[in-house]
Amino acid sequence: MKLSPVFSFKAIASLAVVAFWTLSLNAQNATPRTVHVSGLAGTVSHSHAGGQFVPLASGAKLGKGDVIKTGPGSHVDLDMGRNVGMVQVAPNSTFSIDEVTATSTGTDMLTDTQVSLSAGTMYAKVNKLAKGSRYEITTPKGIAGIRGSALSMTAAGQLTMGEGEGGIAFGPTDVEIVHEKETAGPSDRPSHPASAQALREIVDALRDAATHGAGPEIRAFWSADQEDGFISPTTGAKAPTSPSQGE
């Protein structure tokens, strides 16, 4: 059977990312994970397995085959399950859950998380995962493999890392590595320092996803008058100031 161009690109670029991160998921005994809607604001709808889009409610349980659409001024917060992390889907976005499983090896719990973003922007906190786990984000322009981190990703393929490290494949042998506080996209390479605004947006989105606007404030990891380094949006710990900030 002939592969479609989109499927072929996804398959080849996915292999490029997986090869780079040296991941090796074992599909045996894999069990589906549940994604929980932990909060939302505005107009958010979802469809399952190609069905009709219907309003999405906070507390809903989602899984493989679910597609989420957010309207103008709207967003949804997702607990990705198995302590994998959380996602905030920004306004005017289309986000799909392609695979969410967990596999017990007897000593570790390997997780396979594959999502797609066909429109808009997503923000994610990815926890430290067991070696051999996968966290992959597919867009029409590139496919990213993520390690424990805080990040934003756009459907145009722009990956910005607030923390941690990611690799994004734009082709079978074309992988760009994006380090902490860097950004890169299909026509914005090589990776380079991200703007203060882009980094603020990551921490603001993750703070909102963690508290849903009702919890205690989490100190932002960047401010214009702050000269003593970043504060982690995920741990609250201070990180060293990067060489680009004067060291």
Side-chain angles (χ1 to χ4, degrees):
M1 184 175 77
K2 186 176 180 180
L3 295 177
S4 71
V6 172
F7 183 84
S8 179
F9 167 76
K10 175 175 170 59
I12 294 172
S14 177
L15 286 174
V17 170
V18 169
F20 178 79
W21 292 123
T22 62
L23 303 180
S24 57
L25 282 165
N26 183 349
Q28 292 182 352
N29 303 319
T31 58
R33 300 198 326 265
T34 300
V35 174
H36 296 269
V37 178
S38 54
L40 58 79
T43 302
V44 182
S45 60
H46 88 288
S47 166
H48 179 71
Q52 182 179 358
F53 278 88
V54 297
L56 184 63
S58 184
K61 297 179 181 180
L62 304 175
K64 180 178 180 178
D66 282 305
V67 180
I68 296 171
K69 287 187 177 182
T70 56
S74 306
H75 70 261
V76 61
D77 304 325
L78 305 173
D79 176 348
M80 299 304 292
R82 284 285 182 183
N83 197 35
V84 168
M86 61 184 178
V87 166
Q88 181 169 101
V89 183
N92 300 309
S93 299
T94 303
F95 174 89
S96 304
I97 301 171
D98 301 327
E99 191 69 77
V100 276
T101 63
T103 303
S104 176
T105 67
T107 56
D108 285 314
M109 183 63 68
L110 306 186
T111 55
D112 186 2
T113 304
Q114 299 177 51
V115 300
S116 297
L117 185 70
S118 56
T121 302
M122 62 174 281
Y123 301 90
K125 170 193 170 185
V126 182
N127 295 336
K128 185 177 180 180
L129 306 176
K131 185 177 180 180
S133 294
R134 168 163 50 186
Y135 195 112
E136 194 174 275
I137 304 169
T138 297
T139 76
K141 299 294 186 179
I143 299 176
I146 306 298
R147 289 178 173 172
S149 52
L151 64 110
S152 68
M153 185 77 174
T154 73
Q158 191 76 27
L159 174 63
T160 303
M161 304 301 299
E163 292 182 358
E165 186 177 63
I168 180 165
F170 300 107
T173 60
D174 185 8
V175 178
E176 186 78 25
I177 307 307
V178 186
H179 300 284
E180 182 171 327
K181 293 180 278 185
E182 290 185 344
T183 188
S187 58
D188 185 26
R189 295 190 277 167
S191 56
H192 57 87
S195 69
Q197 177 63 30
L199 296 174
R200 278 197 294 268
E201 288 174 358
I202 293 172
V203 75
D204 286 346
L206 294 181
R207 176 171 54 227
D208 183 77
T211 66
H212 314 305
E217 285 291 312
I218 300 174
R219 184 181 175 191
F221 73 123
W222 172 272
S223 64
D225 59 354
Q226 188 176 4
E227 298 181 354
D228 58 349
F230 285 73
I231 302 297
S232 163
T234 55
T235 67
K238 185 181 292 186
T241 303
S242 71
S244 63
Q245 289 177 290
E247 284 193 358

